[in-house]
Amino acid sequence: MIYHKIASADDPYFAKMHRLMGEVFPPEEVLAYELWREPLLDPTIHVYVAILDDEVVGATEYRYRPEFQAAMTDFTIVGRPGLGIGRFLLVQREDHLRRLEAESGTTSLGMFAEIYDPALAGPPEGRVSPMHPAVRREVLSHLGFKKLDIDYVHPSWDHEGKAVRGLDFCFRPTDASRETLPASLASGFLRWYYSALPNKPQEWHDMMSRLEAREAVDLLPI
């Protein structure tokens, strides 16, 4: 299996990755094909695919922000079961993040992630897919992710400014004993992360105001 960096929308593997994203995520969670061109040129955004027999069988996008001492995993896709794709992507990503951390001269506090609530997805039918929210959530729980104790909503990635619910904003602390997170870290990161979307729903602004009025946020089990 090959860990291949996508640095251009003209990369032939990008079209395969984008098609795979459309098969896994709802439309409001997938950035339109042409709107990827500029983000892929950003050296701080890391998009990699797992290639097997010239096909994209998995993908992951992530970043490390030294100013927050925090990483963010935007998405991880396992396109086929039984091939160890998830483990392959995790090992490659963690190794790269450690290098980015060392290059920046900072120590990471942990990693953010938006994680689907499986209760809203309904029970799986037939063979359970590795991408079903219940499976993904259990895997991420084993990896140490905890959810922030907030009523989470985020702007839709289709640029229509809709409020998207059904996800928890989560954090995997480097210190596994950590039970709270500074609210300023969470709010600062979210303001930076969604600065790329000019249209934001009022629900998001309300959530941010409540978050910024707090000193700390509890980290709860998922």
Side-chain angles (χ1 to χ4, degrees):
M1 209 173 312
I2 300 171
Y3 194 60
H4 173 72
K5 180 176 178 61
I6 301 290
S8 167
D10 296 321
D11 185 322
Y13 291 111
F14 173 70
K16 295 182 179 183
M17 185 198 81
H18 196 265
R19 183 166 58 250
L20 185 60
M21 290 181 68
E23 295 171 356
V24 170
F25 300 125
E28 64 271 15
E29 292 292 300
V30 181
L31 191 65
Y33 192 102
E34 286 300 318
L35 294 180
W36 275 88
R37 289 192 176 276
E38 185 174 347
L40 287 174
L41 298 176
D42 186 338
T44 69
I45 298 177
H46 306 287
V47 181
Y48 282 83
V49 293
I51 300 173
L52 183 65
D53 297 330
D54 204 40
E55 290 298 324
V56 171
V57 295
T60 185
E61 177 184 342
Y62 53 94
R63 58 196 83 193
Y64 180 68
R65 300 303 302 187
E67 68 270 36
F68 296 107
Q69 293 179 251
M72 173 78 174
T73 173
D74 300 294
F75 64 79
T76 298
I77 298 175
V78 175
R80 297 183 194 172
L83 296 176
I85 296 167
R87 177 65 182 174
F88 173 78
L89 292 172
L90 172 67
V91 170
Q92 297 292 333
R93 183 180 68 211
E94 292 296 301
D95 182 62
H96 189 198
L97 283 170
R98 284 193 293 269
R99 296 199 307 271
L100 293 172
E101 184 181 343
E103 290 168 3
S104 70
T106 59
T107 300
S108 177
L109 297 173
M111 173 184 279
F112 287 105
E114 294 174 329
I115 300 177
Y116 284 97
D117 182 351
L120 303 179
E125 298 179 1
R127 183 174 180 178
V128 180
S129 164
M131 291 305 294
H132 189 278
V135 177
R136 291 156 59 193
R137 196 176 184 93
E138 190 63 24
V139 169
L140 291 167
S141 177
H142 276 71
L143 291 176
F145 280 92
K146 304 176 182 180
K147 66 178 180 179
L148 277 70
D149 187 19
I150 59 175
D151 182 18
Y152 188 62
V153 61
H154 78 75
S156 62
W157 284 100
D158 56 13
H159 284 261
E160 293 185 7
K162 295 178 292 187
V164 177
R165 294 186 176 273
L167 299 97
D168 290 316
F169 191 48
C170 299
F171 189 73
R172 185 190 69 186
T174 301
D175 178 0
S177 66
R178 178 186 283 274
E179 297 181 348
T180 65
L181 200 65
S184 59
L185 172 58
S187 62
F189 192 90
L190 283 171
R191 286 206 178 276
W192 165 79
Y193 188 69
Y194 282 107
S195 62
L197 297 179
N199 300 321
K200 299 181 180 69
Q202 187 59 45
E203 293 95 325
W204 187 85
H205 293 294
D206 293 342
M207 176 197 73
M208 293 299 296
S209 295
R210 291 191 296 270
L211 182 58
E212 289 167 340
R214 300 167 65 174
E215 291 187 4
V217 184
D218 289 338
L219 295 174
L220 306 176
I222 60 172

